Amino acid sequence: MRRSICCYQYQKVEDTLLRIICLVAAAAILAAAGGSAFADGSGDPTAVKSEDGKYFDKQGNPTYKIAPDGTVDWYTYSGYRRYHSECHVCHGPDGMGSSYAPALKDSLKTMSYGDFLGVVASGRQNVNTAQENVMPAFGTNPNVACYMDDIYVYLRARANDAWGRARPEKHEDKSEAYKAAEDSCMGQH
């Protein structure tokens, strides 16, 4: 019995790693292709389409949806939570930056969706004569890799001044499709 439980747990870990590897590969392909849109430069962040609670701009990139009463979409809310769980230590609260890492609120004004995925998944190293900045790769960390779109959507809302420096009080419900994708990515099904 012990062996079969061990093999089952190993298979779950292997499945999760395979999903993360696929995500990293997709991010690398998007980054190599140069991405397709900018947060506010060449692309309008207005949501024009929704699929299972996920909103997309006219170029097909994930985006935010904020109702007049302040209700945010699930991805913006989840992105706020994930950003403050994993990213704010270096990049500062609300994407405002720190002495250690740049303000992602500003970076997403010109960074394409593909470039964002590539940097988060693979990391980045900037070296000049004054300093060396290294962002580690998070493509194998399911607490980041499984929520890259959420973090992107939240930071895109911040970059476009659509959301301020506060935790969203009201949000849409988590969709069944989101729950299934989350469970799959985290190796729970």
Side-chain angles (χ1 to χ4, degrees):
M1 183 71 169
R2 187 181 217 18
R3 182 181 171 116
S4 64
I5 291 172
C6 179
C7 291
Y8 173 73
Q9 289 172 336
Y10 177 77
Q11 184 64 43
K12 284 179 65 175
V13 169
E14 191 175 67
D15 290 347
T16 300
L17 288 174
L18 183 59
R19 280 189 282 281
I20 291 171
I21 289 167
C22 289
L23 181 63
V24 171
I29 290 168
L30 279 171
S36 61
F38 293 91
D40 71 350
S42 65
D44 180 356
T46 303
V48 298
K49 181 173 97 172
S50 173
E51 292 177 8
D52 297 317
K54 185 174 189 177
Y55 295 90
F56 299 91
D57 65 17
K58 66 183 176 184
Q59 295 172 320
N61 294 314
T63 196
Y64 53 89
K65 175 87 172 176
I66 303 172
D69 71 352
T71 301
V72 300
D73 62 281
W74 177 260
Y75 283 80
T76 299
Y77 174 70
S78 176
Y80 171 90
R81 292 174 53 226
R82 296 297 169 173
Y83 175 85
H84 286 88
S85 173
E86 301 289 335
C87 310
H88 88 278
V89 173
C90 294
H91 291 283
D94 306 305
M96 299 295 291
S98 70
S99 60
Y100 189 69
L104 296 180
K105 178 185 184 305
D106 296 335
S107 297
L108 256 68
K109 290 179 179 180
T110 58
M111 183 180 279
S112 73
Y113 173 58
D115 287 345
F116 175 83
L117 293 177
V119 169
V120 174
S122 302
R124 175 183 277 180
Q125 184 170 357
N126 293 326
V127 179
N128 63 36
T129 56
Q131 63 184 4
E132 180 177 336
N133 295 322
V134 177
M135 178 173 159
F138 286 97
T140 58
N141 178 343
N143 292 315
V144 176
C146 294
Y147 301 98
M148 280 197 232
D149 279 358
D150 306 40
I151 296 167
Y152 175 80
V153 167
Y154 165 69
L155 289 171
R156 190 173 193 195
R158 292 286 297 128
N160 286 284
D161 294 320
W163 190 255
R165 297 188 68 181
R167 180 185 180 106
E169 291 183 27
K170 298 183 285 184
H171 57 80
E172 293 178 355
D173 292 333
K174 185 188 300 190
S175 72
E176 291 302 318
Y178 184 100
K179 289 176 190 176
E182 180 179 39
D183 286 348
S184 176
C185 189
M186 295 299 281
Q188 296 181 13
H189 283 116

